[in-house]
Amino acid sequence: MRKSGFYFVFFLLAAVQMLICNYLNISAYLMLSILPVMILCVPLRLPTFWTLLLAFVTGLAVDLLSEGLLGLNALALVPVAFVRKEVIRLIFGDELFARKEDFSMRKNGFGKVALAIFLVQALFLAIYIWADGAGTRSLSFNAIRFGISLAAGWIVSLLIINVLAPDNRK
């Protein structure tokens, strides 16, 4: 996908995330977010500083334009942007960086992509739920919320990964 095409899809999905936050309140146990997979799929050629800034601005925009605490999504999304390249290096290897190409489900396989999504989703939710509870919710509530939100977010992220990280090979 060309650079401009990726950012168009990125901002459309950010708007979808805002709609999810505003209108999809199924349960107190479910916090559905596609933000971590969006940051995971940012092109590797973008320096970490700009990825951090993109994560912060996107998280803050979602916080401003949807219900929730101001800065909560930004707080949880910036660490995902910080560890993104290391997660990619750990799971996919250094070949992607050497060839300066992005990952995709077809090139790298379902298992590796699913694991990468699982890791960034887990990091995001751990920070988000910890900050959202702020010591007012029980550990069991937070653990159940984490598990349900992780499973749901992982499944939804797997469904949209091909939109964000398509295989450019013909």
Side-chain angles (χ1 to χ4, degrees), residues 35 105 110 112 135 141:
L35 294 174
M105 186 87 74
F110 175 81
K112 288 182 178 183
F141 176 85

Side-chain angles (χ1 to χ4, degrees), residues 13-135:
L13 288 174
V16 168
Q17 178 64 52
M18 292 173 203
L19 292 172
I20 289 171
C21 289
N22 281 328
Y23 299 109
L24 193 65
N25 296 321
I26 297 171
S27 168
Y29 290 106
L30 177 62
M31 190 281 163
L32 186 60
S33 181
I34 59 174
L35 294 174
V37 74
M38 290 168 55
I39 292 299
L40 178 67
C41 293
V42 169
L44 289 174
R45 63 189 163 277
L46 190 68
T48 301
F49 171 78
W50 293 109
T51 306
L52 290 167
L53 188 61
L54 179 65
F56 178 76
V57 169
T58 304
L60 205 55
V62 169
D63 290 332
L64 280 170
L65 299 173
S66 64
E67 66 178 350
L69 297 171
L70 185 61
L72 191 57
N73 279 298
L75 173 72
L77 198 55
V78 168
V80 170
F82 186 72
V83 302
R84 174 183 71 95
K85 284 189 177 179
E86 293 309 313
V87 167
I88 291 170
R89 184 173 278 117
L90 175 73
I91 295 173
F92 302 112
D94 288 324
E95 303 86 38
L96 292 177
F97 294 98
R99 288 185 261 157
K100 297 181 180 176
E101 63 182 27
D102 298 316
F103 67 91
S104 73
M105 186 87 74
R106 185 169 171 215
K107 283 191 286 188
N108 301 101
F110 175 81
K112 288 182 178 183
V113 173
L115 179 59
I117 292 170
F118 182 84
L119 291 175
V120 295
Q121 193 75 248
L123 175 63
F124 175 84
L125 287 170
I127 295 168
Y128 185 96
I129 290 171
W130 170 78
D132 189 37

